[in-house]
Amino acid sequence: MARAAREGIAATSRGEHYEWMAVTGAPLRLHDNRLLPAEPAVRAIAHRLYEAVRDLPLISPHGHVDPRVLLDDEPFPDPATLFVTPDHYVTRLLHADGVSLEVLGVGTSAISEQESREVWRRLCEHWAIFRGTPVRYWLEHELVEIFDVAVRPSAQTADMIYDQVAERLSQPAFRPRALYKQFRLTVLATTDDPSDDLSAHAALAADPSWTGRVIPTFRPDRYLEPALPGWREAVARLGEASGVDTGDYAGFVRALEQRRQFFIAHGAVSADHSHPDVRTDPLEPSEAARLYRAALAGQATPEEAVAFRRHMLLEMARMSVEDGLVMTLHPGVRRGHHTATAARLGPDTGSDIPIRIEYTDALRAPEAMRRFRAAVTETVGFSRTSGFVDDTRAFCSIPARHDMSRRIDAGVLAQLVAEHQLDEEEAMDTAVELVTKQPSKVFKL
Amino acid sequence: MARAAREGIAATSRGEHYEWMAVTGAPLRLHDNRLLPAEPAVRAIAHRLYEAVRDLPLISPHGHVDPRVLLDDEPFPDPATLFVTPDHYVTRLLHADGVSLEVLGVGTSAISEQESREVWRRLCEHWAIFRGTPVRYWLEHELVEIFDVAVRPSAQTADMIYDQVAERLSQPAFRPRALYKQFRLTVLATTDDPSDDLSAHAALAADPSWTGRVIPTFRPDRYLEPALPGWREAVARLGEASGVDTGDYAGFVRALEQRRQFFIAHGAVSADHSHPDVRTDPLEPSEAARLYRAALAGQATPEEAVAFRRHMLLEMARMSVEDGLVMTLHPGVRRGHHTATAARLGPDTGSDIPIRIEYTDALRAPEAMRRFRAAVTETVGFSRTSGFVDDTRAFCSIPARHDMSRRIDAGVLAQLVAEHQLDEEEAMDTAVELVTKQPSKVFKL
Amino acid sequence: MARAAREGIAATSRGEHYEWMAVTGAPLRLHDNRLLPAEPAVRAIAHRLYEAVRDLPLISPHGHVDPRVLLDDEPFPDPATLFVTPDHYVTRLLHADGVSLEVLGVGTSAISEQESREVWRRLCEHWAIFRGTPVRYWLEHELVEIFDVAVRPSAQTADMIYDQVAERLSQPAFRPRALYKQFRLTVLATTDDPSDDLSAHAALAADPSWTGRVIPTFRPDRYLEPALPGWREAVARLGEASGVDTGDYAGFVRALEQRRQFFIAHGAVSADHSHPDVRTDPLEPSEAARLYRAALAGQATPEEAVAFRRHMLLEMARMSVEDGLVMTLHPGVRRGHHTATAARLGPDTGSDIPIRIEYTDALRAPEAMRRFRAAVTETVGFSRTSGFVDDTRAFCSIPARHDMSRRIDAGVLAQLVAEHQLDEEEAMDTAVELVTKQPSKVFKL
């Protein structure tokens, strides 16, 4: 797919012709060498390394795709809902450029075709503001590789691109399961609430027509933070789901242990933790029990709530040692920063910002990925890293993100080869291991 | 000007010949490709981008040049006073290399010609210590481009360069207004005390022979920090300037609002704020009033003074929302760090050091500018930045600073083009917008 | 030495042939251009700069080699003890890859030949995990340049390399004094306890057959931290060594001053300080005396212990001003982080990790060195830096570390030349000064 576009020839759709060049002089192409180092000798090495991994299967051991997307296998919604409205990286920049979040459909449960088309026009009109950002890099990759778009988004081309993407989305080859295969995904981890019954995962596993692998991830954040609204209701739900009385601390711990086992039985390999910090200060069991009682009674102070969470994070580590769930940490995100927006439009509407410590976002954008890879490798080599984690809820962006990562790693390795710090054969071996052995080993897949 | 020097031919002054090469073998030239990426293909792109912006007018929406420089249009003083004595980046390194600040004229109101020549000799003798620093980059740019100097500073060439610069400074073409035109400046913002009567700005605006644009900037720092010495006198002056009684908090706020209107009437487009941090913690009006009373009575604790300042910074934001003055923040500078030097020689004598958060200085030196541009662009693209802010009190360094910025941006954009993240035509468009549309839009010029 | 290997020809040992290529297809060579920038024009400049400094003598003004190594001039021990067991950078990564610290001989006073061979095999089997790390870079340099190894470590080649290194180590040319000469060392600073009698230094100085220069460094950390275990015993020892009664604070200060004079008489030029932070908060003498008494009585609180140390760090600065010992600071290391490992295996067994502020490690790895050099130079130029500090206890790694530094500096300078920020002749001058004048001046050698 999109081979033609990659070679710089205007794309022709199956069955009909889009006469792109008649509309606009700006083609949209993905250059074969994009993101590879510019110096010719280094680029040549990087290209050889990249070629060795470009078509290898994708392992996605940590992300936020809804499992029902693959269970139901319904067509993806309209282009705006697919690419714009739920992506706060996109809406944030459009908003900063003067487009209201409401016009972009943020906070709306469903938008009409007319509204979707309007949102899409806003995106295309403001295309220039995304220059140099990874958002643009991913969107271009998706438009070209998945949807055969061969013209740069602009006010003039917005409707035409909308039509082409919408038409594609209606075809069977663009349904989630077909794309899962086309993307060469071999495993896709979701992120799930400990009280979730994992029925979507169970139904997928029981479906004889489904040959992929979608696994849950245990994410107990909200159960460990008594200061968050709804915490008491959450631990009550946890009691129901586990069949263990969470009326006291011992039951709470047992219920968490029980749900981890339930997740493991449904294929989970890791637990994900995102808190304001990663401190782990153990409490005496009696003190932990006291704080839990106070929290249930709505009488825990903010300091006590933090102390309880730091204690529980260590408990999570203890459980991981015992039951083997790989522990991933994503600290340092201040959620709901802009109180008014969060209240008006709900979570994930542009109101999360990174605070002091941040690892995951450091992996996102090309320059940041290069710095991360170079800095971490100097300290621990390549063998201590898990390989790329796409960490996305945007299913269609998964190949673009992995491809970016493979290009960046090819470039970093090529630089090491060009500076004679590594033989090319070793670099080749490392490039392949980073997308095969490393994620499988680290996530016990 | 300086075209000859740029082409590597020994400069000849108007009317007399300087036989540079007879004195020393080290010419001083500005290479046309300086600061552009070294890789030939990237450099070629960068050079095309740079050529598109190199001669565009300079917009300087934030800086510290004294408006009287342009009002009075007096010749600039001697070379040492122009280039060395008031520039703590220069004097700091000379001092670290063993030259006393007193010998450099720091803290002296005026120096004799003989003293100036001595200071200049110190600079030239220690030229090697500036290798790799932006200070040297700017000084070289100014010496070559403005003063036609074509020989590298050294003990041997010090007097000869001094003579040439001094001779140029006596010519009409080197007076401030002539240089303003020659630099292609279109707007120059100063930084002004809220109690300032802006008479220099008014006189300039009323001068029919003046065709440039010099605008004030509202900088209320000292009025918001009750812990600083002289605060009570400052708010008293504010009362006089505004005609509003600053004897209570409500009057203080009204006086500030009044002075902002006065600044706006004189062309101001922004307010500048530099405090140890950028926290904004609102107080109840009654509490703010109480702290203000305590501060006036000299009875505010250090904690209360900080609380008042953090409250007032939010008030400044509120006023900016209402009256439209763009708010610039320059947090994280510890002023007067070396107490003894500051007491002996006064402010801005090498005793300010950056603390934790620092944005402005991060924009100064080439490598830091590259990192800043790359990192910020990955997060917000180019459209959320204001373009370059020279932030200088050294009038003659303005073109050198803008030229450095244009070269750095050309290089960063060329890299994106070379890595196929951006089409060259888009990069060209962005390069031009960064020196035209962006500063005009962000600063509402 | 190793000229043949450098030219890519399989090494031949003196007297016998190692048929490397028959065993494995992977040669081990040090490319002449390693670590130099990849862009051909920049590399050519960098190579010229590097050639100018590559063979200049090594000045090592700060490190941790034991002076008895050179006094006794015994052959170095077996390959594992030389290269693996005491190097926590090596053992840490092997441990992370599943090799137990006990198997690596960590915490064992001496290992048998059979054990050494086993440790060596583990290193060679896990060679791939060191890709891209400075550890591998240094080990390769040492194996090739010192021991003529010409084959890449692997399970297959482990024994053969072991044999070759062991055989070399038994030859006179590989004893410490012979290597000192071969490395072209001109001065080597050790790090010494203030109570040390410096007998090894005295004996070396008195040895007519010794023509090198080994100087002590005054490191009083443990005497300034009353909270550390063994502090009271340490100050008692200090009293004995100095002949000054350390029973009160005044005596303690006098004893430190006395030992500094003793160190200076034995050639010391600097004092080294490594504490969790570099705060210096002076105390009134009476308060310092009170805290000292409380500490001696075992009654100082943790806060008082910290206050005393911060006061004493300023006292150390005061003494340096008076007696001229250069003060080096290495703050921000959390020692004994993994309590269990430190208790089981002793200090320096992988349990130190850097905390917030860290300068020395920032100088270690190539990318970090490049960033450090570029960032520091932009602020202060080259003249404010001391040149490279190897900071190692691994004697044989000293040339590899200095060579890495010279290559990195050549590359950074070449980049400045290629971007026309520096003339090549100035860069050459700077490259040479960084390994000659700068360390001599900063450390008063």
Side-chain angles (χ1 to χ4, degrees):
Chain A
M1 174 176 279
R3 184 66 54 180
R6 210 147 63 206
E7 286 159 7
I9 302 158
T12 54
S13 163
R14 276 142 259 170
E16 56 177 318
H17 280 269
Y18 290 97
E19 308 236 338
W20 300 118
M21 305 311 284
V23 179
T24 169
L28 185 65
R29 294 187 210 118
L30 304 181
H31 197 286
D32 193 38
N33 282 328
R34 66 195 183 281
L35 282 186
L36 301 185
E39 203 283 315
V42 185
R43 173 167 286 187
I45 301 167
H47 196 266
R48 287 194 294 274
L49 298 174
Y50 171 65
E51 279 298 321
V53 299
R54 102 179 272 158
D55 294 327
L56 291 181
L58 306 189
I59 299 172
S60 181
H62 176 82
H64 302 293
V65 171
D66 186 337
R68 296 199 178 277
V69 166
L70 287 153
L71 178 63
D72 301 342
D73 201 29
E74 294 289 334
F76 282 106
D78 58 282
T81 304
L82 183 57
F83 285 125
V84 183
T85 305
D87 187 337
H88 56 83
Y89 290 98
V90 175
T91 55
R92 192 154 59 181
L93 267 181
L94 287 169
H95 184 209
D97 212 42
V99 183
S100 85
L101 291 173
E102 280 82 358
V103 162
L104 294 171
V106 177
T108 311
S109 55
I111 58 177
S112 68
E113 211 236 278
Q114 189 51 37
E115 287 166 334
S116 174
R117 199 174 276 275
E118 274 307 310
V119 172
W120 189 257
R121 280 181 195 139
R122 294 293 166 280
L123 174 72
C124 295
E125 287 162 8
H126 291 82
W127 195 243
I129 67 173
F130 295 99
R131 287 174 187 165
T133 67
V135 161
R136 176 172 132 147
Y137 186 90
W138 294 326
L139 283 177
E140 287 189 348
H141 186 110
E142 296 174 60
L143 291 174
V144 172
E145 286 282 308
I146 306 178
F147 298 100
D148 283 341
V149 172
V151 63
R152 188 196 296 161
S154 69
Q156 288 70 42
T157 63
D159 282 347
M160 178 183 288
I161 298 175
Y162 185 95
D163 288 340
Q164 173 161 347
V165 172
E167 184 260 344
R168 291 285 199 279
L169 286 172
S170 70
Q171 297 177 13
F174 291 81
R175 294 211 176 178
R177 291 193 184 187
L179 289 177
Y180 182 98
K181 271 189 204 161
Q182 190 210 310
F183 292 171
R184 290 182 302 276
L185 273 161
T186 58
V187 59
L188 179 71
T190 63
T191 323
D192 308 271
D193 189 286
S195 300
D196 194 294
D197 64 7
L198 303 183
S199 57
H201 292 84
L204 261 175
D207 181 344
S209 70
W210 167 245
T211 57
R213 184 177 177 198
V214 172
I215 58 178
T217 299
F218 187 79
R219 179 153 184 181
D221 296 358
R222 73 181 61 183
Y223 297 87
L224 312 186
E225 300 257 21
L228 290 183
W231 177 78
R232 273 189 290 181
E233 293 72 12
V235 299
R237 274 201 314 279
L238 181 70
E240 287 166 33
S242 63
V244 180
D245 181 2
T246 56
D248 62 14
Y249 172 69
F252 172 67
V253 170
R254 277 203 312 282
L256 286 167
E257 290 172 334
Q258 196 275 349
R259 295 310 291 168
R260 292 170 69 102
Q261 289 303 328
F262 181 79
F263 270 63
I264 292 169
H266 283 76
V269 296
S270 73
D272 183 37
H273 305 277
S274 176
H275 298 288
D277 64 65
V278 291
R279 282 187 64 166
T280 49
D281 301 325
L283 300 173
E284 289 298 316
S286 61
E287 175 67 359
R290 190 188 69 75
L291 293 188
Y292 186 77
R293 273 197 307 277
L296 274 188
Q299 291 166 350
T301 66
E303 291 73 25
E304 288 176 330
V306 167
F308 185 75
R309 183 249 293 162
R310 289 178 177 167
H311 167 77
M312 284 309 300
L313 189 57
L314 190 60
E315 275 292 285
M316 291 294 113
R318 193 259 307 158
M319 294 180 198
S320 274
V321 168
E322 291 176 3
D323 64 22
L325 284 182
V326 173
M327 196 170 189
T328 64
L329 297 167
H330 184 173
V333 175
R334 179 80 69 215
R335 301 196 181 274
H337 168 71
H338 194 273
T339 320
T341 302
R344 198 166 93 243
L345 303 172
D348 296 320
T349 55
S351 51
D352 298 353
I353 55 167
I355 52 176
R356 276 168 302 170
I357 23 171
E358 235 295 333
Y359 306 133
T360 300
D361 278 341
L363 282 162
R364 288 257 171 79
E367 265 310 311
M369 288 168 79
R370 267 182 207 140
R371 285 195 300 269
F372 173 87
R373 175 59 79 196
V376 168
T377 299
E378 286 211 328
T379 307
V380 301
F382 292 94
S383 74
R384 307 317 308 154
T385 60
S386 71
F388 181 64
V389 164
D390 56 64
D391 199 19
T392 185
R393 74 189 74 233
F395 182 71
C396 291
S397 77
I398 291 175
R401 290 165 188 254
H402 283 262
D403 184 69
M404 176 188 276
S405 168
R406 290 171 185 199
R407 289 174 181 276
I408 294 296
D409 280 343
V412 169
L413 286 162
Q415 194 70 34
L416 290 171
V417 173
E419 294 185 0
H420 305 286
Q421 296 187 62
L422 218 53
D423 286 349
E424 183 165 339
E425 151 255 329
E426 295 179 292
M428 188 71 81
D429 182 55
T430 296
V432 172
E433 286 197 348
L434 283 174
V435 301
T436 54
K437 187 181 132 193
Q438 288 304 116
S440 297
K441 187 178 73 176
V442 171
F443 282 95
K444 304 178 183 170
L445 293 166
Chain B
M1 173 178 281
R3 183 67 55 181
R6 212 150 59 210
E7 286 160 6
I9 301 159
T12 54
S13 164
R14 274 142 261 171
E16 54 177 318
H17 279 269
Y18 290 98
E19 309 236 338
W20 300 115
M21 305 312 283
V23 178
T24 169
L28 186 65
R29 296 186 207 118
L30 304 181
H31 197 286
D32 192 39
N33 283 327
R34 67 195 183 282
L35 282 188
L36 301 185
E39 203 285 314
V42 184
R43 173 167 285 185
I45 300 167
H47 196 265
R48 289 194 292 275
L49 298 174
Y50 172 65
E51 279 298 322
V53 298
R54 106 179 270 157
D55 294 327
L56 291 181
L58 306 189
I59 299 173
S60 181
H62 176 82
H64 302 292
V65 170
D66 185 338
R68 296 197 180 278
V69 166
L70 288 153
L71 178 63
D72 301 341
D73 201 29
E74 295 290 332
F76 282 106
D78 59 282
T81 304
L82 183 57
F83 285 126
V84 183
T85 305
D87 187 337
H88 56 83
Y89 290 99
V90 175
T91 56
R92 191 154 58 182
L93 267 181
L94 288 169
H95 184 210
D97 211 41
V99 184
S100 86
L101 291 174
E102 280 82 357
V103 163
L104 295 171
V106 176
T108 310
S109 54
I111 58 178
S112 67
E113 211 237 278
Q114 190 51 37
E115 287 166 334
S116 173
R117 199 174 278 275
E118 274 307 312
V119 172
W120 189 257
R121 280 181 195 139
R122 294 293 165 277
L123 173 73
C124 295
E125 286 162 8
H126 292 80
W127 195 243
I129 65 173
F130 295 99
R131 288 173 186 166
T133 67
V135 161
R136 176 171 133 148
Y137 187 90
W138 294 327
L139 283 177
E140 287 189 347
H141 186 110
E142 295 173 62
L143 290 175
V144 173
E145 287 281 311
I146 305 178
F147 298 100
D148 283 341
V149 172
V151 64
R152 188 196 297 161
S154 68
Q156 288 71 43
T157 61
D159 283 348
M160 176 182 287
I161 298 174
Y162 185 95
D163 289 340
Q164 174 161 349
V165 172
E167 185 260 343
R168 290 287 199 278
L169 286 172
S170 70
Q171 298 178 12
F174 292 81
R175 293 210 176 178
R177 292 193 183 187
L179 289 177
Y180 182 98
K181 271 188 203 159
Q182 190 210 312
F183 293 171
R184 290 182 303 276
L185 273 161
T186 57
V187 61
L188 179 71
T190 64
T191 324
D192 308 271
D193 189 285
S195 300
D196 194 295
D197 64 7
L198 303 183
S199 57
H201 292 84
L204 261 175
D207 181 344
S209 70
W210 166 246
T211 57
R213 184 178 177 197
V214 173
I215 57 179
T217 299
F218 187 78
R219 178 152 184 181
D221 296 357
R222 73 181 61 183
Y223 296 87
L224 312 186
E225 301 256 22
L228 290 183
W231 177 78
R232 274 190 290 182
E233 294 73 11
V235 300
R237 274 201 313 280
L238 182 70
E240 285 166 34
S242 63
V244 180
D245 181 1
T246 55
D248 63 14
Y249 172 69
F252 173 67
V253 170
R254 278 203 313 280
L256 286 167
E257 291 172 334
Q258 196 276 349
R259 295 308 291 168
R260 293 171 67 103
Q261 288 303 328
F262 181 79
F263 271 62
I264 291 169
H266 283 76
V269 296
S270 74
D272 184 36
H273 305 277
S274 176
H275 298 289
D277 64 66
V278 291
R279 283 187 63 166
T280 49
D281 301 324
L283 299 173
E284 289 298 316
S286 61
E287 175 66 0
R290 189 187 69 74
L291 293 188
Y292 186 78
R293 273 196 309 276
L296 274 188
Q299 292 167 349
T301 67
E303 291 73 27
E304 288 176 331
V306 167
F308 185 75
R309 182 249 294 162
R310 290 178 177 168
H311 166 78
M312 284 309 300
L313 189 57
L314 190 59
E315 275 293 284
M316 290 295 114
R318 193 259 307 158
M319 293 180 199
S320 273
V321 169
E322 291 175 4
D323 63 23
L325 284 183
V326 173
M327 196 170 189
T328 64
L329 296 166
H330 184 174
V333 176
R334 178 80 70 216
R335 301 198 180 273
H337 167 70
H338 194 274
T339 321
T341 302
R344 197 167 94 241
L345 304 171
D348 296 321
T349 54
S351 50
D352 298 354
I353 55 167
I355 51 175
R356 274 168 304 172
I357 21 169
E358 236 295 334
Y359 307 133
T360 301
D361 278 340
L363 281 163
R364 288 257 170 79
E367 265 310 310
M369 288 169 79
R370 268 181 206 139
R371 286 194 300 270
F372 174 87
R373 175 58 80 196
V376 168
T377 299
E378 287 210 330
T379 307
V380 301
F382 293 93
S383 73
R384 308 317 307 156
T385 60
S386 71
F388 182 64
V389 164
D390 55 65
D391 199 19
T392 186
R393 73 190 74 231
F395 182 71
C396 291
S397 76
I398 290 175
R401 290 165 188 256
H402 282 263
D403 184 69
M404 176 187 277
S405 168
R406 291 171 185 198
R407 289 174 181 275
I408 295 295
D409 281 343
V412 169
L413 286 162
Q415 195 70 34
L416 290 172
V417 173
E419 295 185 0
H420 305 286
Q421 296 187 62
L422 219 52
D423 286 349
E424 183 166 338
E425 151 255 329
E426 295 179 291
M428 187 70 81
D429 182 55
T430 297
V432 172
E433 286 196 348
L434 283 174
V435 300
T436 54
K437 185 180 131 192
Q438 289 303 116
S440 297
K441 187 177 74 176
V442 171
F443 282 95
K444 305 178 183 169
L445 293 166
Chain C
M1 172 176 283
R3 182 67 53 181
R6 213 148 60 210
E7 284 159 8
I9 301 159
T12 54
S13 164
R14 276 143 258 167
E16 55 177 318
H17 280 270
Y18 291 97
E19 308 236 337
W20 298 117
M21 305 311 283
V23 179
T24 169
L28 185 66
R29 294 188 209 116
L30 303 181
H31 197 287
D32 192 39
N33 283 328
R34 65 195 184 283
L35 282 187
L36 301 185
E39 204 283 314
V42 184
R43 173 167 286 187
I45 301 166
H47 196 266
R48 288 195 292 274
L49 298 174
Y50 171 66
E51 279 297 322
V53 298
R54 102 179 273 158
D55 294 327
L56 291 181
L58 307 189
I59 298 172
S60 181
H62 176 81
H64 302 293
V65 170
D66 185 337
R68 296 198 179 278
V69 166
L70 287 152
L71 178 62
D72 300 341
D73 201 29
E74 295 290 332
F76 282 107
D78 58 281
T81 304
L82 184 57
F83 285 126
V84 183
T85 305
D87 186 338
H88 57 83
Y89 290 98
V90 175
T91 55
R92 191 153 60 182
L93 267 180
L94 288 169
H95 184 210
D97 212 41
V99 183
S100 86
L101 292 173
E102 280 81 359
V103 162
L104 294 171
V106 176
T108 310
S109 55
I111 58 178
S112 68
E113 211 237 278
Q114 190 51 37
E115 287 167 334
S116 174
R117 200 174 277 277
E118 274 307 311
V119 172
W120 189 257
R121 281 180 195 138
R122 294 293 165 279
L123 174 72
C124 294
E125 287 162 9
H126 291 80
W127 195 243
I129 65 173
F130 296 99
R131 288 173 186 165
T133 67
V135 161
R136 177 172 130 144
Y137 186 89
W138 294 326
L139 283 177
E140 287 189 347
H141 186 108
E142 295 173 62
L143 290 175
V144 173
E145 287 281 310
I146 305 178
F147 298 99
D148 283 341
V149 172
V151 64
R152 189 197 296 161
S154 68
Q156 288 71 43
T157 62
D159 282 348
M160 177 183 287
I161 298 174
Y162 185 95
D163 289 340
Q164 174 161 348
V165 172
E167 185 260 344
R168 291 285 200 279
L169 286 172
S170 69
Q171 299 178 12
F174 291 80
R175 294 211 176 178
R177 292 193 183 186
L179 290 177
Y180 182 98
K181 271 189 202 157
Q182 189 209 312
F183 293 170
R184 292 182 300 276
L185 273 160
T186 57
V187 61
L188 178 71
T190 63
T191 325
D192 308 272
D193 189 285
S195 300
D196 194 295
D197 64 8
L198 303 183
S199 58
H201 292 83
L204 261 174
D207 182 344
S209 70
W210 166 245
T211 57
R213 183 177 176 199
V214 172
I215 57 178
T217 299
F218 187 78
R219 180 154 184 182
D221 297 359
R222 71 181 63 184
Y223 297 86
L224 311 185
E225 301 256 20
L228 289 184
W231 177 78
R232 273 188 290 181
E233 294 72 12
V235 299
R237 274 201 313 279
L238 182 70
E240 286 165 35
S242 63
V244 180
D245 181 2
T246 56
D248 62 13
Y249 171 69
F252 173 67
V253 170
R254 277 203 312 281
L256 287 167
E257 290 171 335
Q258 196 277 348
R259 295 309 292 168
R260 293 170 66 103
Q261 288 303 328
F262 181 78
F263 270 61
I264 291 169
H266 283 76
V269 296
S270 73
D272 184 37
H273 305 276
S274 176
H275 297 289
D277 63 65
V278 291
R279 282 186 65 167
T280 49
D281 301 325
L283 300 173
E284 289 298 318
S286 60
E287 175 67 358
R290 189 187 69 74
L291 293 189
Y292 186 78
R293 273 198 307 278
L296 275 188
Q299 292 168 349
T301 66
E303 290 73 26
E304 288 175 332
V306 167
F308 185 75
R309 183 249 294 162
R310 290 178 177 166
H311 166 77
M312 284 309 302
L313 189 56
L314 190 59
E315 275 293 284
M316 290 295 113
R318 192 260 304 159
M319 293 180 199
S320 274
V321 169
E322 291 175 4
D323 64 23
L325 284 184
V326 174
M327 196 171 189
T328 65
L329 297 166
H330 184 174
V333 175
R334 179 79 69 215
R335 301 199 181 272
H337 168 70
H338 194 274
T339 320
T341 302
R344 198 166 93 242
L345 303 171
D348 296 322
T349 55
S351 51
D352 298 354
I353 54 168
I355 52 175
R356 273 169 305 172
I357 22 170
E358 235 295 333
Y359 307 132
T360 301
D361 279 341
L363 281 163
R364 287 258 172 79
E367 265 309 311
M369 288 168 78
R370 268 181 206 140
R371 285 195 300 270
F372 174 87
R373 175 59 79 197
V376 168
T377 300
E378 286 211 330
T379 307
V380 301
F382 292 93
S383 73
R384 307 317 307 153
T385 60
S386 72
F388 181 63
V389 164
D390 56 65
D391 199 17
T392 186
R393 71 191 74 231
F395 182 70
C396 291
S397 77
I398 291 175
R401 291 166 188 255
H402 283 262
D403 183 70
M404 176 188 277
S405 168
R406 291 170 184 198
R407 289 174 180 275
I408 295 295
D409 281 344
V412 170
L413 286 162
Q415 194 70 35
L416 289 172
V417 173
E419 294 185 359
H420 305 287
Q421 296 188 61
L422 219 52
D423 285 350
E424 183 166 338
E425 151 255 329
E426 296 180 291
M428 187 71 81
D429 182 55
T430 297
V432 172
E433 286 197 347
L434 283 174
V435 300
T436 53
K437 186 180 130 193
Q438 289 303 117
S440 298
K441 187 178 71 177
V442 171
F443 282 95
K444 305 178 181 168
L445 292 167

